[in-house]
Each structure stands twice: as structure tokens, then as C-alpha cells.
Amino acid sequence: MIDAIALPSRRSSWLGLLTVLSLVLLVAMDGSVLYLAIPRVTAALKPTADQTLWILDIYGFLVSALLIAFGTIGDRHGRLKLIMIGASVFGLGSLGAAFSETPAALIACRALMGLGGATLLPSGLAIVSALFPDPRERAQAIGLFAATFAAGFAIGPVLGGLLLQSFAWGVVFLINVPVVVVFLVAAPVFLREVRDAGSGRIDLASLLLSFLGLLLTVWSVKTAAADGFGSRQALVGGLGLGALALFIDRQRRIDDPLLDLNLFRDPVFTIAILTGLLSLVVWSATGSLSGIYLQAVLDHPVLAAALLTLPGAITLTVTCIGTSRIVERVGRKAALVATHALIGTGVLLLLLTTVETGGPALIASTIVAGLGYGLSFSLVAEIAVSAVPAERAGAAGSIAETSNELGNALGISLLGSVSALCFRLFGPGLAGTLNETLAHPGLPPEAALQAKQAFVTGLHAVAGLAGASTLLVAVAAGLWLPRKLPT
């Protein structure tokens, strides 16, 4: 049973919502803000190809690995208490990241930000729900919560590009600090404690197995792409897959699993979670590679690169806000199928990019795919929760949020590794990344061209894989889902 101490007034409820949304925006933005900043980071800190990928995705990995566990901790010990601690950790991590002087320091600070960020989404959503006892207002508030999260992902690269036009790369992290300070001052005034005395215990073995399994498996894939596949990658990858197998087996046997596998027996729930996972895999991979493409291949200044991403960001945000009206017209099934069809079609437009030109193709890609992303961000949690019994709604919501964060991390790691492999195979062999190669002293023009062509080849490989995968899921959703989805 949920215990919300003192029902808030209508005015304080909306002020409390604004307080929570400020943090939601930050968590979402920090999943994408580095897409345009990474060339500046690599120029300043000179990370290896492997370190560059970890700088991008360690944040998402920690958020996704700890999201469900922190949801349970918040239920038991208090959501407001947890979110205050998490916001403080997030702010400290942001401050450290802004002034990092080595790749290892930046990776560590991004990890600290992920640790704090994992507390914010589930706790924030529970607090928002408790602020609005009226079902209609609660639905509006949760819709704004989802729209803010989507907008944060969309505007992260744009805001990063605008700031980088005038400031050093650390500013993309430093902007978090004043927002966190304002939240820590406002939260005790406008928010109330929320807890669930009936929540289950946290299974530490499951948490450790899931985290190690993901970490070791992805490390194996990433290093194999950058350095070639050897016995070390095989051993570590085998250990990672073994840990994931043990994790899944344990979820079947324990009373309070971190991942309720029984929920996946419902095809509606499964397709919804796959949608959340795959859409963020594609979004993060193509978004990070597009930022490098615009600056390092086409030689656009960071502000021009940011402006080229703006139409897609606007499309995504507007679509997310208008999803409920779209669903009323076409139905949930058609909207879910359209999500994958639009993302797949949009991503395949990246195949039209070349070393010489690609701005128009990229804009068209982000607009078409942005329609699909906007639908996905709004639909996934709603469909996942409505597909399961009411007593399992909390677990379904946590899995839906986790699928988004995990997709964000896996996209950069796995599809980013495909790009890195192409660069290793077809590049001039002077360095592991495009930016490192272009900064090589005395680089001949033909080697620079070869490096750019190799990067575009990697971008095309990622776009082809991502586009084909999403279109296949669109077909699967059309065939497997019932004509009318539950509401």
C-alpha cells in the first residue's frame, strides 16, 4: 500500500511536478548530450576508441542496471529520501565530469552520474503519481513526465551544440549543477515522502549477475571490434553470457525477482518492451555517429551541426505530446507498428550520406525517424502496463523504463562496435577512431579521405542493421499482436 504523507493542494501539486520534471529533463539529456560534444572531448582528452565508447555509455549502463533495484529501495525506505540522495550524487558526478582531465576520470564521473540518475526516474514517477489523486490530472501529469523525458533526449544534442559554440566541452556537464541545487532546495517544500510498505526485498545476487553479465559481454564485443577477436575476448564474453544465463535462471526460481519473466508470456507486453529497447538502441547509435559525421566528415562547426539536428528534435517532441490523439485516430496496434516502420525508414535514409554531402539526407532521416521515436517514448510504458494485471503494473513500468535506458547503452556499445570494426577494417590503420586519425601529425590527404570513407562505411553498416531490425519488428508486431490492444 502506498503511503503519501499529507495530500498536497492542487497548486502545490503542479509546482511539485515542475520540480520533478527539472530532474527528469537532466537525466534524459545526459543520455544524449555528448553526441555533438564527443569530438571536443576526444580532442581534449585523447581517449582510445574503447574509452570513447565507455565515456558515452557507462552512464546508461549504470542507470539501466540499477533502475529496478533503486525502485525497490525507494518503495521500502522512501522515494523522496532516495531521490534527494540520488540528485546530490548526480550533481557531484556532473561537477567532476566538467573538470575531468583524463579519460579515466571522465568515465568514473559519468559512472557516478549514472548511479545518481538511476534513483531519479522510478522515484520521480512514483512521487508524481502520489501528487495527483485525481485520475485525470494524474494521467496528464504522467503524460508530461513522458514528454519531458522524450524532449530531454531530443534537445540534449542541440543544447550541447549551442553551448559548445562558446564554451569548453565541460559546460555540457556543468549546466546540471545549478538545476540540482534548485531541486534540492525546492523538493522538501513541494514534494512529500512516498513509500510502499509491501514492496519485495532486493536480491543482491540477481543485481550482481545482471550487471556483470551486461558489462562483461559488451566489453568483449567492444574490444573485439576495436582490437580484433582473441582468447581474452572469448573468455570474458563467455563469462558475461554465463552470468546472464544464471541471472535468467535465478529469476525463475526466486520469490522476488528483479525481472518478472512471466510478464513476457504476453505478446503485447513483449512487443512493447522490445519497442522501447530497440528504439533507443537505434536512437543512441545513429545519434552519436551522426554528431561525429557532421563535424569530422562534413567539417561543420558545432553550432551548424546542432542546428541540423533541430528539425528532428522538434518533430520528436511534438509527436510525443500528440501521441494520445494519434492513438485515438488509428488505434494502439497501428501506432505501435508505425513506430517501427517510421524509425526503420528514417534510419535507412542515412544510407544516402556520403563523404562529400549528407546534410539533407540526415535532416530527412531525423524527421521521419523522429515521428517513430515520439510515438515510442509515449506508447511503450502505457501499453506495457495495460497489458498486465493491475497488481503487476509497477513491475511492468520498471521494466519499460529499464528497456529504454538499456537500449540507450547497448546502442552505443553494440552498434558503435560495428562502426569501430568497419573503421579498423577499411581505415588507414593509423589510429582507432576518425578524430584520432585526422589529428595524426603530417596526415596525407589520401589517408584523411580513406579515414572519412571508412567512417561513412561504418555509419552505413549501422544504419542498415538498425533499419532492417526495426522494419522486421514492425512486421512481427503486425502479425503477432491482436487487432485491438488492451487499454
Side-chain angles (χ1 to χ4, degrees):
M1 158 182 158
I2 297 287
D3 173 28
I5 302 173
L7 287 177
S9 68
R10 192 175 187 277
R11 180 172 176 270
S12 65
S13 294
W14 290 103
L15 289 173
L17 174 64
L18 290 176
T19 302
V20 173
L21 292 186
S22 65
L23 278 187
V24 173
L25 191 66
L26 280 187
V27 174
M29 282 174 50
D30 272 277
S32 61
V33 73
L34 280 181
Y35 291 169
L36 288 179
I38 200 64
R40 295 283 189 91
V41 174
T42 57
L45 302 185
K46 297 185 171 48
T48 65
D50 194 44
Q51 287 174 324
T52 300
L53 290 178
W54 280 122
I55 289 170
L56 284 165
D57 61 29
I58 189 63
Y59 172 83
F61 266 117
L62 280 176
V63 171
S64 58
L66 298 172
L67 197 66
I68 294 177
F70 277 145
T72 305
I73 291 172
D75 281 340
R76 176 171 292 183
H77 299 290
R79 297 283 194 180
L80 181 58
K81 183 189 300 182
L82 182 65
I83 203 173
M84 294 281 286
I85 295 171
S88 301
V89 172
F90 186 87
L92 290 173
S94 299
L95 191 62
F99 296 102
S100 294
E101 296 182 351
T102 65
L106 182 54
I107 292 169
C109 289
R110 288 279 286 169
L112 195 61
M113 291 170 64
L115 183 66
T119 71
L120 305 181
L121 290 177
S123 294
L125 190 57
I127 290 171
V128 166
S129 298
L131 284 172
F132 295 91
D134 179 71
R136 183 177 179 183
E137 288 189 345
R138 187 187 306 123
Q140 291 175 341
I142 292 174
L144 287 172
F145 189 100
T148 302
F149 188 74
F153 264 113
I155 69 175
V158 180
L159 180 61
L162 293 173
L163 290 171
L164 288 169
Q165 185 70 14
S166 303
F167 302 99
W169 63 266
V171 72
V172 298
F173 300 113
L174 205 57
I175 57 172
N176 296 341
V177 177
V179 179
V180 168
V181 171
V182 170
F183 172 82
L184 292 175
V185 172
V189 178
F190 298 116
L191 304 178
R192 297 293 182 268
E193 188 58 277
V194 179
R195 59 172 56 89
D196 182 0
S199 62
R201 67 181 182 87
I202 300 167
D203 184 59
L204 294 178
S206 294
L207 179 60
L208 184 63
L209 286 170
S210 63
F211 183 68
L212 287 178
L214 284 170
L215 206 63
L216 295 178
T217 302
V218 171
W219 181 91
S220 175
V221 172
K222 287 166 62 173
T223 56
D227 307 321
F229 188 77
S231 57
R232 185 174 60 162
Q233 284 79 10
L235 176 61
V236 174
L239 289 173
L241 292 174
L244 290 175
L246 289 173
F247 168 77
I248 292 173
D249 180 66
R250 186 171 180 81
Q251 303 317 291
R252 294 193 181 102
R253 294 185 288 102
I254 60 177
D255 293 331
D256 296 304
L258 281 181
L259 182 65
D260 188 351
L261 297 176
N262 290 324
L263 295 176
F264 289 91
R265 294 178 178 177
D266 188 313
V268 176
F269 178 84
T270 301
I271 291 291
I273 296 303
L274 183 59
T275 299
L277 178 72
L278 188 56
S279 62
L280 265 296
V281 165
V282 176
W283 160 268
S284 61
T286 57
S288 59
L289 292 176
S290 295
I292 298 172
Y293 170 75
L294 288 171
Q295 295 175 81
V297 177
L298 298 185
D299 297 318
H300 286 307
V302 66
L303 180 58
L307 292 177
L308 286 173
T309 68
L310 191 58
I314 294 172
T315 301
L316 188 155
T317 305
V318 171
T319 304
C320 184
I321 295 171
T323 294
S324 59
R325 293 185 179 180
I326 295 172
V327 172
E328 286 178 5
R329 287 180 175 271
V330 304
R332 284 185 169 184
K333 178 178 178 178
L336 199 59
V337 172
T339 292
H340 293 284
L342 288 165
I343 292 174
T345 302
V347 169
L348 289 177
L349 290 174
L350 290 174
L351 296 176
L352 300 177
T353 56
T354 69
V355 173
E356 293 80 20
T357 182
L362 190 139
I363 292 173
S365 170
T366 58
I367 290 175
V368 176
L371 292 168
Y373 294 133
L375 288 171
S376 171
F377 290 158
S378 295
L379 274 176
V380 168
E382 182 187 354
I383 292 177
V385 169
S386 62
V388 303
E391 63 271 15
R392 293 186 173 182
S398 292
I399 293 172
E401 290 176 5
T402 302
S403 72
N404 283 336
E405 290 297 336
L406 185 59
N408 186 45
L410 288 176
I412 296 170
S413 297
L414 300 183
L415 290 183
S417 294
V418 172
S419 174
L421 176 62
C422 289
F423 191 82
R424 183 169 68 85
L425 293 176
F426 302 111
L430 299 174
T433 66
L434 175 60
N435 287 294
E436 285 180 295
T437 302
L438 295 178
H440 199 277
L443 182 70
E446 58 271 18
L449 179 61
Q450 183 183 357
K452 291 183 178 183
Q453 288 172 335
F455 182 85
V456 172
T457 298
L459 175 62
H460 289 174
V462 168
L465 283 172
S469 299
T470 48
L471 290 177
L472 282 174
V473 176
V475 173
L479 294 175
W480 294 345
L481 293 179
R483 181 172 300 179
K484 186 172 182 182
L485 301 187
T487 58

